[in-house]
């Protein structure tokens, strides 16, 4: 892979680069394993992989503080891992087992962690956006300087509830960052065929919400943008929009053959823009790590993922009594 210059500061420490490398690699290897388990029939229903988009959530989480909240759509495994949720609990939820983070009742799209302030995983397109504003409203009310990251995709950016939320968030100056993970194809339609406005971050201007585009294949650029946005929100200036330009290597879900784009296009992105390879090159060029060091990290990550996969297969099926828990109405 040809080296490319980061849009962010070049003086990032060795420790930071290694952290980002490990976190992105964990997501990549976890998702590859999830794809394998799905192919074996051990994961049922829908399964949306995050492969290629790892720098988005890792970069944003790098600027998060304890107590900040996050909420997203159904492509959510990477978000869970990036905020520190247990890989074993995530994988066991994918296989519907008792050891899963929702005790086997939620599956791929519906996991939660009160401890990590992760509020899903939502299957209805765009539905998480007003919920994210609600989380931010609670923090505004408490005046605790916390921020909510409300993630959604370029396809969801055309949902009406998104703009109703923009309006209320701007009126009440809610501390919410609207993160548009623009992987360019929504479910399977290119953005230029579905969206009249090519720059989605400008959708907030009518409501007085500032925004910007970010290179989502560069974790350092994402981190820099996240720091700017969180500072804006913590200062009481209201919401902010980050349109993060990224790319998923797999189909919309495991059942999607992705025939709406060429193999050559995907391979070109892998070869020239891969977010993990970018950090790998920074580590090697800066003499922060050797090739053997990085191979050792990969081996460690694979062991963590294999342990999670084994746990997801051996954890027992949920008790029938579990059907009657967590019912509030």
């Amino acid at each position: 892979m040809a080296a490319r210059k980061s849009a962010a500061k070049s003086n990032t420490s060795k420790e930071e680069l290694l952290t980002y490398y490990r976190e992105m690699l964990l997501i990549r290897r976890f998702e590859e394993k999830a794809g394998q388990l799905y192919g074996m029939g051990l994961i049922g229903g829908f399964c949306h992989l995050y492969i290629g988009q790892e720098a988005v959530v890792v970069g944003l989480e790098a600027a998060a503080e304890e107590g900040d909240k996050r909420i997203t759509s159904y492509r959510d495994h990477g978000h869970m891992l990036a905020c520190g949720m247990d890989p074993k609990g995530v994988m066991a939820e994918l296989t519907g087992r008792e050891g899963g983070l929702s005790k086997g009742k939620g599956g791929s799209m519906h996991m939660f962690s009160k401890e990590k302030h992760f509020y899903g995983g939502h299957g209805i397109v765009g539905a998480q956006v007003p919920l994210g504003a609600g989380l931010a409203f609670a923090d505004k009310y408490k005046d605790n300087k916390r921020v909510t990251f409300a993630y959604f995709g370029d396809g969801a950016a055309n949902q009406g509830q998104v703009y109703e939320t923009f309006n209320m968030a701007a009126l009440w100056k809610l501390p919410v960052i609207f993160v548009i993970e623009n992987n360019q194809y929504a479910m399977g339609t290119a953005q230029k065929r579905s969206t009249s406005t090519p720059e989605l971050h400008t959708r907030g201007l009518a409501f007085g919400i500032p925004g910007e585009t970010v290179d989502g294949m560069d974790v350092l650029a994402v981190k820099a943008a996240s720091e700017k946005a969180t500072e804006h929100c913590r200062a009481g200036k209201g919401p902010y929009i980050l349109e993060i330009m990224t790319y998923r290597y797999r189909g919309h879900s495991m059942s999607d053959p992705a025939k709406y784009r060429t193999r050559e296009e995907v391979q070109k992105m892998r070869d020239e823009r891969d977010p993990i390879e970018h950090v790998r090159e920074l580590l090697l060029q800066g003499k922060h790590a050797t090739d053997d060091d990085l191979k050792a990290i990969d081996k460690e990550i694979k062991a963590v993922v294999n342990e999670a996969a084994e746990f997801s297969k051996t954890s027992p099926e949920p008790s029938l009594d579990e059907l009657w828990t967590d019912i509030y109405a």
Side-chain angles (χ1 to χ4, degrees):
M1 174 181 169
R4 56 190 172 98
K5 186 177 179 181
S6 172
K9 296 178 181 179
S10 59
N11 62 348
T12 307
S13 72
K14 167 186 174 179
E15 290 72 23
E16 286 180 286
L17 288 174
L18 285 171
T19 295
Y20 305 150
Y21 184 77
R22 286 177 179 275
E23 290 178 349
M24 289 193 292
L25 196 59
L26 173 61
I27 296 171
R28 177 73 57 92
R29 297 294 181 244
F30 183 97
E31 293 291 62
E32 289 170 347
K33 180 62 71 172
Q36 292 174 11
L37 296 181
Y38 187 93
M40 294 166 62
L42 295 174
I43 296 175
F46 292 100
C47 186
H48 306 80
L49 303 182
Y50 203 63
I51 297 174
Q53 299 185 209
E54 297 91 350
V56 179
V57 70
V58 170
L60 286 163
E61 285 290 340
E65 296 181 359
E66 178 59 36
D68 288 345
K69 302 175 177 64
R70 60 279 295 163
I71 188 169
T72 189
S73 64
Y74 36 76
R75 196 180 309 281
D76 53 3
H77 312 153
H79 302 72
M80 300 170 193
L81 297 173
C83 72
M85 292 167 69
D86 182 3
K88 291 191 292 186
V90 178
M91 195 72 86
E93 189 60 38
L94 297 184
T95 57
R97 302 303 179 94
E98 184 179 80
L101 287 166
S102 292
K103 300 180 181 179
K105 297 187 293 184
S108 175
M109 297 191 286
H110 304 290
M111 277 180 258
F112 301 82
S113 173
K114 184 177 180 181
E115 177 191 4
K116 299 298 182 182
H117 306 286
F118 181 84
Y119 294 91
H122 293 267
I124 299 174
V125 176
Q128 73 277 11
V129 181
L131 294 176
L135 293 170
F137 177 81
D139 289 329
K140 172 81 173 182
Y141 186 80
K142 295 175 182 177
D143 192 26
N144 59 15
K145 306 303 179 186
R146 299 278 69 83
V147 170
T148 294
F149 297 88
Y151 294 84
F152 58 102
D154 48 299
N158 291 320
Q159 290 285 315
Q161 60 195 316
V162 170
Y163 301 97
E164 294 180 55
T165 304
F166 283 179
N167 183 54
M168 297 308 295
L171 273 174
W172 293 340
K173 293 190 180 300
L174 301 183
V176 55
I177 301 172
F178 297 110
V179 182
I180 305 173
E181 295 195 72
N182 189 345
N183 62 28
Q184 306 173 46
Y185 284 99
M187 285 185 67
T189 302
Q191 184 185 334
K192 63 183 179 182
R193 296 182 57 208
S194 65
T195 306
S196 61
T197 308
E199 296 183 318
L200 297 177
H201 70 279
T202 63
R203 296 279 184 93
L205 293 179
F207 307 96
I209 303 176
E212 60 182 288
T213 57
V214 186
D215 180 0
M217 308 304 275
D218 181 348
V219 69
L220 302 184
V222 178
K223 181 199 174 193
S226 184
E227 289 173 339
K228 178 180 177 181
T230 53
E231 182 180 355
H232 174 93
C233 291
R234 293 192 211 283
K237 297 179 181 178
Y240 202 93
I241 297 174
L242 292 177
E243 179 186 3
I244 305 186
M245 307 304 295
T246 185
Y247 196 87
R248 56 173 165 78
Y249 295 162
R250 301 292 183 90
H252 172 70
S253 69
M254 286 296 295
S255 60
D256 173 20
K259 293 182 178 179
Y260 40 81
R261 59 186 184 183
T262 65
R263 290 184 179 180
E264 291 75 18
E265 176 186 313
V266 178
Q267 193 59 49
K268 182 178 175 64
M269 289 294 292
R270 280 184 175 272
D271 291 342
E272 299 178 8
R273 301 282 296 147
D274 186 80
I276 300 176
E277 283 298 313
H278 177 42
V279 175
R280 182 178 184 275
E281 289 298 320
L282 290 176
L283 285 164
L284 293 174
Q285 290 171 9
K287 301 188 184 305
H288 299 310
T290 65
D291 193 52
D292 286 341
D293 292 334
L294 299 182
K295 286 180 180 177
I297 291 173
D298 196 8
K299 184 177 180 180
E300 292 172 14
I301 295 297
K302 286 179 178 177
V304 170
V305 170
N306 287 336
E307 182 182 5
E310 187 62 28
F311 179 77
S312 76
K313 291 184 280 188
T314 57
S315 179
E317 297 282 346
S319 165
L320 289 177
D321 292 338
E322 190 61 42
L323 288 170
W324 305 104
T325 63
D326 301 320
I327 296 174
Y328 302 104

